[in-house]
Structure formats: C-alpha cells, structure tokens
C-alpha cells in the first residue's frame, strides 16, 4: 500500500535560514505528490504539486520541491525562512493508478517553528 | 469566490450522542471528500463523492458513520452513536472534475467526544 513518510515531526529554524522539510513515498511507480500547509486556526492550503511535469516545482510563498525518483523523495525547501512560515506542513500523494479514486494519502505532518 | 465552508467549527458531545457535520463545497465542484485527523496520527481519507454519488467510501470507519450529499451540493457526515475514538478534526475538501485537480480544503470541524 502507498505510504508517505515525513522525517521530523518538529523542525525549528532561525529567521532567514534555509527551510528543509523531508518527504519520502513508497511506490515503485511515481505517484502524484503534494505539499499542503496549515497555518494556525486555518484550513489546509496547497503549497505546490507534482503531476509528472517538471521535477522542480515552485509553489506559493517562495517554497519549492524537487521530485527525485531515485530517492523516492519530494523534499520541500525555502531559501530563507520568515516568521510567517511557522505552520504545520503535510506531504501527500495520490497513487499513480488511482483512476477515479483520487484520495490523498498523507504523511504525519511536520510542525515548523521559526525563531527570531 | 467563496471557499469550502464547514459547520460547526467545534462540537463537544458525550459518548452515545449524535452529531452531524456539514460541508459546503466550492460552487461547481463535483468532487467532495471527507478526511479525518485523529490526534497524533496522519490525516486519513473517509470518502469521496462525485456529485451525489459515493465514488469511494473505503475509509469510513464503521456503520456509525453516514455521509450524504443532497442534490450534489452540500454534504453531511453524521456520527451515531458517537464513541470516544471518533474525536478528531474532520476536514472536507472539494475539487473540479479533471483528474488530480487541487483539492481545496475547509477549515475543519473539531469534534470532541467525552
């Protein structure tokens, strides 16, 4: 069965530092990959998605992610963290053979803290 | 354009009671999904509607959960009778018809069963 692993349930960075949130998927066939963010007291918002086009995907708020098939990874990065980036980040996939079953399969989430 | 809305935002009920959660998707979105996040665990899929039909309900925990989507518009998720393990945040999402379109999420309903 498809699964998603996010390494590190809590990540803390200093303002201005690089943000790196890790996501690995388990599938021999690349799935469709998503990063969502949940700011405090808000719903889930799509940051970016990979659907078999360019392997480097740019999203909102300066985030990007690179799909690496050889590593079965889709890590999320941002060159310089802002205080407003403090939130919980979720990696999710849709299985490549999903057909009409487009359910998202989620990682556990990573809570990002940004220190002044 | 209005986003996905969910009501109520919070619900606290006692074990054995009934609760109904409501989701209003973005207008024109045929696909509607329910997900749940139990504390400390990953978000899990519950079910997927296409218009008024259930496309996939493989994630529904048991027959205490009943989901409906009247006329292909809003959806309700009823839990009857509620158990302690039903506590969590229930998210609703909607998307357009094309494959792998972005799922737009509501703010969630936090359900606490005492």
């Amino acid at each position: 069965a498809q699964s998603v692993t996010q390494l590190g349930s809590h990540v803390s960075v200093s303002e201005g530092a690089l943000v790196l949130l890790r996501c690995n998927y388990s599938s021999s066939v690349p799935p469709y990959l998503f990063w969502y963010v949940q700011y405090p007291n808000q719903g889930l918002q799509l940051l970016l998605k990979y659907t078999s086009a360019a392997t480097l995907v740019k999203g909102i708020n300066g985030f990007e992610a690179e799909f690496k098939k050889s590593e079965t990874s889709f890590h999320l990065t941002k060159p310089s963290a802002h205080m407003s980036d403090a939130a919980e980040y979720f990696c999710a996939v849709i299985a490549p053979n999903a057909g009409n079953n487009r359910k998202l399969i989620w990682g556990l989430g990573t809570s990002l803290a940004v220190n002044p | 354009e209005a986003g996905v809305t969910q009501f109520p935002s919070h619900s606290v009920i006692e074990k054995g009671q009934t609760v109904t959660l409501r989701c209003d998707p973005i207008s024109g979105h045929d696909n509607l999904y329910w997900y749940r996040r139990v504390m400390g665990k990953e978000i899990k899929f519950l079910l997927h509607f296409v218009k008024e039909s259930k496309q996939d309900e493989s994630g529904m925990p048991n027959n205490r959960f009943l989901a409906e989507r009247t006329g292909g518009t809003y959806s309700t998720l009823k839990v009857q009778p509620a158990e302690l393990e039903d506590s969590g945040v229930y998210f609703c999402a909607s998307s357009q018809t094309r494959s792998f379109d972005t799922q737009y999420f509501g703010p969630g309903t936090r359900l606490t069963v005492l």
Side-chain angles (χ1 to χ4, degrees):
Chain A
Q2 190 75 237
S3 67
V4 178
T5 302
Q6 289 185 241
L7 290 175
S9 57
H10 292 86
V11 170
S12 182
V13 300
S14 298
E15 192 173 18
L18 171 72
V19 176
L20 170 61
L21 304 181
R22 300 177 186 274
C23 173
N24 289 85
Y25 63 90
S26 68
S27 174
S28 57
V29 178
Y32 299 94
L33 295 145
F34 304 80
W35 275 99
Y36 279 84
V37 60
Q38 187 177 23
Y39 298 103
N41 301 315
Q42 294 187 30
L44 294 156
Q45 181 181 2
L46 181 72
L47 272 177
L48 47 80
K49 64 181 179 182
Y50 168 79
T51 55
S52 74
T55 56
L56 182 62
V57 181
K58 294 186 183 299
I60 62 172
N61 301 337
F63 284 92
E64 62 182 36
E66 185 172 7
F67 169 69
K68 291 188 176 180
K69 182 179 177 181
S70 60
E71 298 177 8
T72 61
S73 70
F74 190 57
H75 300 332
L76 182 71
T77 60
K78 181 174 180 177
S80 176
H82 294 165
M83 297 295 290
S84 59
D85 293 327
E88 191 160 20
Y89 292 79
F90 297 90
C91 183
V93 307
I94 292 176
N97 56 350
N100 290 326
N101 297 324
R102 302 167 194 164
K103 60 184 176 186
L104 288 162
I105 299 165
W106 299 82
L108 277 169
T110 298
S111 180
L112 175 67
V114 181
N115 306 310
Chain B
E1 178 183 270
V4 177
T5 58
Q6 293 187 244
F7 182 82
S9 57
H10 294 83
S11 180
V12 181
I13 61 172
E14 294 191 349
K15 177 182 171 180
Q17 291 185 321
T18 298
V19 64
T20 300
L21 313 181
R22 173 170 171 146
C23 169
D24 286 78
I26 293 171
S27 177
H29 282 193
D30 289 339
N31 295 285
L32 188 149
Y33 307 82
W34 284 97
Y35 294 88
R36 177 176 73 173
R37 189 183 191 196
V38 172
M39 187 181 296
K41 299 197 173 181
E42 72 272 27
I43 300 168
K44 283 199 171 178
F45 167 82
L46 296 178
L47 86 159
H48 170 203
F49 283 99
V50 178
K51 298 184 180 178
E52 67 276 10
S53 299
K54 292 175 184 173
Q55 173 70 35
D56 179 1
E57 53 184 329
S58 62
M60 294 287 265
N62 50 61
N63 59 10
R64 295 186 293 103
F65 289 74
L66 175 65
E68 295 179 326
R69 190 178 182 192
T70 307
T73 55
Y74 71 91
S75 175
T76 58
L77 180 65
K78 182 162 71 173
V79 185
Q80 179 183 29
E83 298 288 344
L84 298 178
E85 63 264 25
D86 300 333
S87 296
V89 180
Y90 290 76
F91 292 103
C92 175
S94 71
S95 70
Q96 293 180 315
T97 304
R98 296 183 299 276
S99 293
F100 312 117
D101 265 352
T102 298
Q103 293 183 25
Y104 295 89
F105 281 79
T109 294
R110 182 173 295 278
L111 174 64
T112 301
V113 182
L114 303 175

